[in-house]
Amino acid sequence: IKALELTSISGVPNAVELNSDLTVDYTVENIGSESTSGTVQLKITGTGTNVDASDTVNPSSGNDATGTLSATLSSDDFSSGDTVNFEVTMDQYFGSVTDSTTATGSANFQIKSFNPSFDSSSDEIVVDWEVMNQGNAEATQDVELVIDNDVKATQQETLGPGDSTDTQTLSHGVSADGTYSVELKTNDDTAGPQDVVVDESFFELSSGSVGYD
């Protein structure tokens, strides 16, 4: 008699990062009197495929075979916080075990554009910027204008996966001529530093009757 039975699964993680692998360990026992081979299958609900991973085993009579099945949890199929149900089966033989895990994700706020300048009409260092969430989870982060290593202004942004801000502006007033080191920061990215030169004498001469070469 040829007969295999899936007796158990183990190593199921409590959570799996999106676009990473769900891995499950299995044990198959040959409960027949002859050596035979069979296929262990991992089927994840919601992926649109019949079988997400498979493995061939060939234990001799009375012995076990162990192994690991792995399949990627795509962010195209799941969102952060989703419950992921799956089943491990022994194709054409005996045994089926169901279990679940949780899909998790993380945000990644990247700076798409960063344009610092000095506005002489308001005596402010002005930064026009855009930020994109290149991660796989929605999040809220502060975008920080940093001048000479000090945070001078912040703006809070909430972005879903793949979302971007429109062009935004942060500014800070300055009262002295000089060269200022300007950066823009999120939790995940930094643009700059870039020097912004403030020279009020240049602007005064430029707006008067005397030219400035």
Side-chain angles (χ1 to χ4, degrees), residues 2 17 38 53 67 72 77 100 104 126 135-136 146 172 174 178 180 211:
K2 296 180 178 180
E17 182 83 13
T72 300
D77 299 320
S100 65
T104 61
V126 177
N136 48 39
V146 180
H172 176 71
V174 292
Y180 294 83

Side-chain angles (χ1 to χ4, degrees), residues 170-192:
L170 285 170
S171 60
H172 176 71
V174 292
S175 58
D177 289 355
T179 300
Y180 294 83
S181 177
V182 181
E183 298 171 276
L184 191 74
K185 292 186 176 184
T186 69
N187 292 353
D188 309 302
D189 195 17
T190 299

Side-chain angles (χ1 to χ4, degrees), residues 122-133:
S122 60
D123 289 336
E124 290 180 321
I125 291 174
V126 177
V127 176
D128 296 328
W129 53 269
E130 295 173 275
V131 167
M132 179 179 184
N133 182 0

